[in-house]
Amino acid sequence: VIPRFRPLIERAELVAMLSRGGADDRARFEAAFAQAIGSRHAIAFPYGRTALRLLLESRGIVGREVIMPAYTCVVVAHAVVASGNRPVFIDCGADGNMDLDLAEQAMSANTAAIVPTSVFGHSVDLDRLDALRTRHPGVLVIQDCAHSFTCEWHGRAVARAGHAAFFGCNISKVATSIFGGMVTTDDPDLATALRGARDLRLSRPGPARAFSQALYAFGAALAFHPSFYSLTDALRRTGMLTRLERYYDEQTIEMPADHLVDITRLQARVGAVQIGRLGDFIAARRRYAHYYHERLEAHPGIRFLPASHGSSYSHVAALVDDRERICARAHARGVELGRVIDYCIPSMPSYASVPQGRAWPRACHFSRHVVNLPLWGRFEEAVANRVVSCVVDALSGAAHAPQIA
Ligand SMILES: Cc1ncc(COP(=O)(O)O)c(C=O)c1O
């Protein structure tokens, strides 16, 4: 079975895990990250959601509204709530990203921040964002780049188009520090405030933590290795891996118990190696995306979400009708199709009590119809070719893909 993603924890990462390292491992990781993104500062956190939480806290933002997409990873909303603020959910546009016109309509005197998100690595429209920022200079702009490491809008880095950007570096992300998150910013005062918040709020990791992280990373490398993935897939189907994979509970708003524990040196060393490979990872993802687009675009059973030229493709996203059936058929032919965001956050039970008064038809539509085609940081034509032929097979006799609406 071809997995929908594969972490590339390989020789260099294993060497980094086994090396002794030193007290400046975290600072080195941050410097490499800042350089890769082209930002002045990078500050590491144990999760992307911790990064967002402390970013809001360090600016003294509390009891305010934070504008964010309805169609994104639910843990972003959890971080906003954990920071003592209220998420205001906005429907998406055709590309899956938050509709910035709707975002602007939702702004009020109580709006403190907006979280533009290049979902699936589809670049946010920075021209529209610029216009919005000019009209609302007091609103903090925090780019969620967890899906969009080095994504660009007409040559401009999305991560630098705001006061700060945050990233997620868990094992499924474009580059990983096993778990982890990062904030980048060009603002020295914000960087200093964030470092202060980190010193104050995060506890030091215990001695066993690096060891368990190494085991987890090693296990993930094995589990996703082509020789073992069919076994992993079989185990997953028994439900045995659910505990490892589940990252949210429909019913509750919660942060992980360890979200205020600093990263280990081991994580920093792995992260630094991965960031050194980022250019290759992104180039490979773009190749998969172009390969799939070229060969499947004309098929009536599948419709790709439009993505602008500088997109960096954490995922390749397309709409299909009768998604569960198509996924089952693709799986029977040896290809796993992802359903990465299969919810519209404000429709989840955990957010039922958040006052809304708006609608999210597109986010709901996408949450039911989007599939994610397999890709990872190394382009393998044989894999891409097999994905295309299995998807074509799985789509035979299928209804036309739904409109983007
Ligand atoms: C779009 C998006 N933003 C933020 C995050 C948060 O990252 P983390 O899981 O490190 O908290 C994720 C994680 O999956 C994500 O997909």
Side-chain angles (χ1 to χ4, degrees), residues 352-366:
S353 63
V354 176
Q356 296 301 337
R358 52 189 93 243
W360 312 272
R362 246 191 199 140
C364 295
H365 182 66
F366 286 0

Side-chain angles (χ1 to χ4, degrees), residues 200-254:
L200 201 67
R201 302 280 276 125
L202 300 193
S203 60
R204 293 174 77 86
R209 196 163 166 85
F211 182 68
S212 64
Q213 288 171 339
L215 278 185
Y216 175 82
F218 191 63
L222 275 186
F224 284 90
H225 192 277
S227 317
F228 299 110
Y229 190 70
S230 293
L231 176 63
T232 307
D233 182 61
L235 287 177
R236 176 190 273 158
R237 274 158 198 278
T238 67
M240 280 172 73
L241 303 181
T242 309
R243 204 180 57 84
L244 286 173
E245 293 181 318
R246 227 188 89 225
Y247 68 94
Y248 70 93
D249 176 342
E250 279 268 333
Q251 308 292 332
T252 43
I253 298 175
E254 61 187 356

